[in-house]
Amino acid sequence: MLSRLPLAALKSSGAVGASRSTLSAAGKRSASQVRFASTASSSSGAFQSLFTSRASLVSVTLFSAGSIAWYTHLYGSLPFIGEVHANSLADDGLHPGVYPWPHKGLFDTFDHASIRRGFQVYREVCAACHSLDRIAWRNLVGVSHTADEARLLAEDVEYTDGPDDAGEMFQRPGKLSDYLPPPYPNEEAARAGNGGALPPDLSLIIKARHGGADYVFSLLTGYVDPPAGVEIREGMNYNPYFPGGAISMARLLFDGLVEYEDGTPATTSQMAKDVVTFLNWAAEPELDERKRLGLKAVILFSALFAVSIGVKRFKWTPIKNRKIIYKPPVDNAL
Amino acid sequence: MLGNTFYNSIVKRNSVYVSTIFLGAFTFGVGFDVAVSSFWDRWNQGKQWKDIRDKYVQDADS
């Protein structure tokens, strides 16, 4: 097949060129053929040999087969070709719903009252197992707490400092510059306290999970009884949003678990929304300022773009509108 | 007419021209920032820290 079909198809076009050259060799040259004779003969010969030779056919075939092999090696499967999978979609976790977060829109800042409530939920519930390494007490100042409040919060925690003059480490109350205290001294202690599962650090958890805030909210509110046929091991819990379905963290948010100082009813979904807002702030503390600067930049750059279009049109007007008129020379000899 | 006034009052002396540009840039920068900020604060009314901080601040500081 390789030797017959494409070559035969290509050869017919080659025969046309050949017959033309024999015709011209026979001396029946029309004026146009004479005119293009030199260019046509030399270039079409090279063109046809490139497209009709068996070597190029073989090399193009090898190149295509090699590309397909390389792609499959890199990505596992070819696009647009159906596949059959043995695993169930539940293994990847249920996709979270899309929630109308107060900070979702292009111009929307965080709801800082929600950040403050979320910090309370984190401190009273999540902080028992999850660390928040990248947030210091000073980061709360001007975001969810006043400096005095943050200072009081920090002073509740004892930090190891030192060494002092005698070379001893000592305990002191926290300062604004201290980071939030981790619940466990190291990863091994965290695993030992949680049945071998490591509670992840929550500083960047919203950025670190597919689905972001929607996913964490769905996870926190999505605990249900396992469906029939799903075995959950001792010490694990079923959550359809968690990839694999079995999660070590139990459901922790129940109605009325915390008491908000601003009187907001502490329902499960309210607490989940507040703590996710707080964690979203922890992951993206620059969000408010980034969106404000982005708005200014978009306004300025689109104005500059409009000005540049105007200048271009202004400069090109004489070139675009000119008309070149051919005035034939007057033959005075006749 | 307008072009002549513009040229004679601003462009003719380079010192005036340059200081007009610098002053214009400064005032535009301030005005643009004020305009965007006022839109921003109106859009996000009640959500930002400055809207809720008076509920928590006790003294004059912080």
Side-chain angles (χ1 to χ4, degrees):
Chain A
M1 188 203 110
L2 185 134
S3 61
R4 274 193 302 176
L5 185 106
L7 272 185
L10 283 167
K11 261 189 183 144
S12 64
S13 71
V16 175
S19 68
R20 189 193 287 153
S21 65
T22 50
L23 268 179
S24 54
K28 297 181 192 168
R29 291 181 166 182
S30 66
S32 69
Q33 272 176 324
V34 172
R35 179 160 186 186
F36 296 116
S38 63
T39 51
S41 63
S42 67
S43 74
S44 82
F47 175 81
Q48 270 161 11
S49 76
L50 182 66
F51 275 84
T52 54
S53 80
R54 190 152 298 170
S56 29
L57 185 69
V58 168
S59 56
V60 165
T61 310
L62 280 179
F63 179 75
S64 314
S67 315
I68 292 172
W70 184 45
Y71 188 94
T72 15
H73 172 70
L74 258 184
Y75 300 110
S77 63
L78 289 175
F80 312 121
I81 296 176
E83 282 181 280
V84 178
H85 293 285
N87 64 339
S88 117
L89 278 177
D91 291 345
D92 297 331
L94 207 58
H95 282 196
V98 178
Y99 292 101
W101 296 100
H103 54 271
K104 196 170 190 178
L106 284 177
F107 307 140
D108 286 328
T109 65
F110 282 122
D111 184 353
H112 285 247
S114 186
I115 293 180
R116 187 182 170 98
R117 292 192 298 267
F119 174 72
Q120 189 186 347
V121 175
Y122 166 77
R123 189 158 171 265
E124 294 180 13
V125 184
C126 316
C129 295
H130 290 278
S131 56
L132 198 67
D133 284 348
R134 285 158 196 264
I135 299 299
W137 296 107
R138 61 182 161 80
N139 295 126
L140 300 173
V141 176
V143 173
S144 58
H145 292 74
T146 65
D148 289 341
E149 286 172 325
R151 214 172 272 129
L152 283 177
L153 286 170
E155 280 167 6
D156 286 346
V157 185
E158 289 245 304
Y159 286 86
T160 307
D161 203 350
D164 60 5
D165 293 343
E168 302 290 326
M169 303 301 277
F170 58 92
Q171 298 292 111
R172 61 156 175 78
K175 297 185 285 195
L176 277 184
S177 55
D178 286 313
Y179 283 78
L180 297 198
Y184 299 104
N186 49 53
E187 183 184 328
E188 283 73 16
R191 284 191 188 280
N194 289 285
L198 174 70
D201 183 75
L202 295 183
S203 307
L204 298 169
I205 202 77
I206 300 296
K207 275 180 172 172
R209 293 290 178 270
H210 286 291
D214 290 336
Y215 165 74
V216 179
F217 179 85
S218 301
L219 190 80
L220 289 176
T221 54
Y223 285 94
V224 288
D225 291 333
V230 174
E231 289 278 332
I232 298 294
R233 282 191 289 125
E234 187 63 32
M236 305 285 273
N237 303 275
Y238 181 73
N239 193 318
Y241 294 99
F242 192 70
I247 184 171
S248 288
M249 180 172 76
R251 176 180 169 180
L252 284 156
L253 296 178
F254 293 95
D255 288 354
L257 184 65
V258 302
E259 194 166 335
Y260 287 134
E261 58 189 352
D262 58 0
T264 309
T267 60
T268 301
S269 55
Q270 177 70 44
M271 285 185 290
K273 177 244 174 189
D274 288 338
V275 80
V276 167
T277 305
F278 168 70
L279 292 177
N280 203 338
W281 166 78
E284 296 178 289
E286 84 292 349
L287 180 134
D288 293 357
E289 197 55 25
R290 167 160 58 82
K291 283 183 177 173
R292 213 175 71 89
L293 282 181
L295 173 64
K296 289 174 76 172
V298 166
I299 292 173
L300 280 181
F301 283 128
S302 36
L304 288 176
F305 181 66
V307 167
S308 75
I309 294 287
V311 169
K312 184 259 167 189
R313 289 170 66 99
F314 177 69
K315 295 285 186 192
W316 277 75
T317 300
I319 300 168
K320 291 274 193 188
N321 290 326
R322 74 185 167 184
K323 195 178 271 182
I324 297 172
I325 298 169
Y326 175 66
K327 278 190 186 165
V330 182
D331 200 344
N332 292 321
L334 290 173
Chain B
M1 175 57 203
L2 190 71
N4 273 342
T5 326
F6 175 73
Y7 178 83
N8 285 327
S9 58
I10 294 174
V11 188
K12 205 168 188 177
R13 294 183 62 89
N14 192 49
S15 56
V16 179
Y17 187 46
V18 168
S19 35
T20 309
I21 288 173
F22 275 59
L23 210 69
F26 180 76
T27 48
F28 172 77
V30 172
F32 184 63
D33 193 56
V34 165
V36 169
S37 295
S38 75
F39 161 76
W40 191 256
D41 293 343
R42 195 147 29 89
W43 185 277
N44 292 300
Q45 206 161 29
K47 283 163 72 183
Q48 299 186 85
W49 170 245
K50 59 184 166 198
D51 301 328
I52 59 168
R53 77 181 277 277
D54 51 339
K55 280 193 272 183
Y56 305 109
V57 72
Q58 279 119 17
D59 307 330
D61 61 331
S62 79

